Amino acid sequence: MIRILIMVFLLLNFISCDFIDDINPNVIAKVDDKKIYFDKLKKEIIAENSDVKLTKPLILFYINEKINEIILEDEFKKLHMKITKEDIKKQSDIVKLNPELLKKRIIFEKVKSYVVRKITYPSDEECLKYYKNHINEFNHYDKVRLRYIVSENEKVCKTVYNKLKKLKDFDKVIRKLKLNYAYNGILKVKDIPEDVKEQIDYTQKNSYWLVKSKDRCYVIECIEYMKNVPVSFKEAKYLIRETLLMQRQTELFKLWLKKQREKRKIKIYYNKIKID
């Protein structure tokens, strides 16, 4: 008898909790027992999209992003992962200014890295096939071989630039300052942003440039200008391999996330998505 009463009590408690959420206009979605509140979500959307009008598709996009964040955070905890000083150091200065965004970004990166950790690099044969199928991407354009670092902190760029002028060795400079290249390879001239192009002479071999662009700055080394010269497979292979690897990682991660969502009890209250 007692056992039956306990079961009835638990069932009524579960039903009542669900019922309260169903009628609460502020509960816009749920992942198992975790609730997403409409007022908090709207504040976040407005903060990130000050010039964009609120629409149902935009709100729904954010709801799904929030669902994914809950799943990722749960996985992060399940794997006993921690946010370290090294993780924070790798993030851009802009991200570091927002603790909530910083946390989300690190959780996303660490869980994704774990999920895709076993993917192997594409073979030379796969890279060659991609090269042949996308030959126009590698031919008949003016190109420049360059490398650069980018930062929101102008002082960082000035320090790199000044050291680079003295040492004439980009690799040595970034190793000393514990930085990484944002890009190191061959770029079509037409793909260089106009405001950057105006500040450099990409035809000048082995030249260094300090460039300011909107809210960030670059230190660029233009290594070699190639006028209408095809890029060989040997030169393109590294970039192709990274492109194919990234595609595989993205596909696997999307599939993993889809399966995780299928395992969870997710409820979105579409009827509560109302625009003021």
Side-chain angles (χ1 to χ4, degrees):
M1 182 67 180
I2 294 173
R3 189 176 175 185
I4 293 170
L5 286 171
I6 291 171
M7 288 178 68
V8 170
F9 172 77
L10 289 172
L11 181 61
L12 287 171
N13 186 57
F14 176 76
I15 291 170
S16 62
C17 288
D18 245 14
F19 176 72
I20 291 168
D21 292 335
D22 288 346
I23 62 173
N24 184 346
N26 198 29
V27 176
I28 197 73
K30 290 170 67 176
V31 182
D32 297 331
D33 59 343
K34 294 180 180 177
K35 302 166 191 179
I36 298 169
Y37 295 98
F38 200 14
D39 56 356
K40 190 177 177 183
L41 189 71
K42 279 200 288 188
K43 284 179 185 175
E44 190 175 320
I45 297 171
I46 292 165
E48 293 181 12
N49 305 272
S50 54
D51 299 328
V52 177
K53 188 178 177 182
L54 276 182
T55 63
K56 285 188 177 182
L58 181 62
I59 293 168
L60 192 56
F61 170 80
Y62 268 84
I63 289 171
N64 279 292
E65 285 297 293
K66 192 62 67 178
I67 290 168
N68 292 343
E69 285 169 14
I70 290 170
I71 291 170
L72 288 170
E73 190 166 350
D74 286 349
E75 190 69 17
F76 185 83
K77 289 174 183 174
K78 179 180 160 188
L79 294 167
H80 304 292
M81 290 178 169
K82 302 288 182 185
I83 294 176
T84 66
K85 289 181 181 178
E86 198 60 37
D87 295 326
I88 295 170
K89 199 185 292 184
K90 290 176 186 175
Q91 300 302 316
S92 70
D93 294 335
I94 288 178
V95 172
K96 288 175 189 173
L97 292 172
N98 186 329
E100 190 64 28
L101 178 60
L102 179 67
K103 180 184 172 185
K104 287 179 193 174
R105 182 72 61 86
I106 293 172
I107 288 174
F108 170 80
E109 289 174 356
K110 294 192 84 161
V111 173
K112 183 180 178 183
S113 294
Y114 179 82
V115 170
V116 303
R117 70 195 185 283
K118 293 183 180 178
I119 288 183
T120 55
Y121 272 83
S123 65
D124 285 357
E125 290 75 19
E126 289 171 300
C127 292
L128 181 59
K129 183 179 178 182
Y130 181 94
Y131 178 80
K132 288 177 177 177
N133 289 339
H134 300 81
I135 195 68
N136 288 336
E137 293 179 17
F138 305 100
N139 288 310
H140 313 303
Y141 292 101
D142 287 359
K143 307 173 190 74
V144 58
R145 187 192 304 279
L146 52 73
R147 51 189 175 179
Y148 63 79
I149 61 108
V150 60
S151 176
E152 291 83 13
N153 190 330
E154 192 175 330
K155 287 183 181 178
V156 172
C157 287
K158 283 183 176 177
T159 301
V160 172
Y161 181 67
N162 291 331
K163 285 185 178 294
L164 192 53
K165 284 197 297 183
K166 289 179 183 178
L167 296 175
K168 307 292 183 186
D169 188 330
F170 215 157
D171 288 334
K172 191 179 286 186
V173 170
I174 66 167
R175 278 200 304 272
K176 277 192 172 187
L177 297 175
K178 296 181 179 177
L179 298 170
N180 294 303
Y181 290 118
Y183 184 81
N184 184 2
I186 295 170
L187 201 61
K188 297 172 191 171
V189 171
K190 71 182 186 68
D191 290 339
I192 301 174
E194 285 303 319
D195 61 332
V196 173
K197 206 182 296 184
E198 288 168 2
Q199 300 178 63
I200 68 173
D201 180 359
Y202 51 82
T203 65
Q204 191 176 331
K205 192 173 182 178
N206 298 324
S207 57
Y208 308 116
W209 307 91
L210 177 62
V211 175
K212 296 177 186 176
S213 175
K214 296 176 183 175
D215 59 345
R216 60 186 61 193
C217 64
Y218 300 81
V219 178
I220 303 171
E221 180 182 10
C222 294
I223 301 167
E224 182 186 5
Y225 172 59
M226 295 167 281
K227 187 169 179 63
N228 201 23
V229 176
V231 178
S232 68
F233 171 65
K234 184 180 178 181
E235 292 173 310
K237 186 167 69 173
Y238 173 79
L239 182 60
I240 293 170
R241 184 165 282 156
E242 290 299 315
T243 300
L244 292 176
L245 181 67
M246 197 174 293
Q247 286 176 0
R248 286 183 184 179
Q249 289 175 337
T250 301
E251 287 166 10
L252 179 61
F253 185 70
K254 281 182 179 177
L255 181 62
W256 175 85
L257 193 54
K258 182 174 179 284
K259 288 181 178 177
Q260 293 303 310
R261 287 179 67 120
E262 288 168 356
K263 291 178 185 177
R264 307 293 287 267
K265 185 184 176 185
I266 295 170
K267 187 169 186 178
I268 299 173
Y269 295 95
Y270 295 94
N271 60 311
K272 297 181 188 178
I273 304 176
K274 294 176 182 177
I275 313 299
D276 297 332

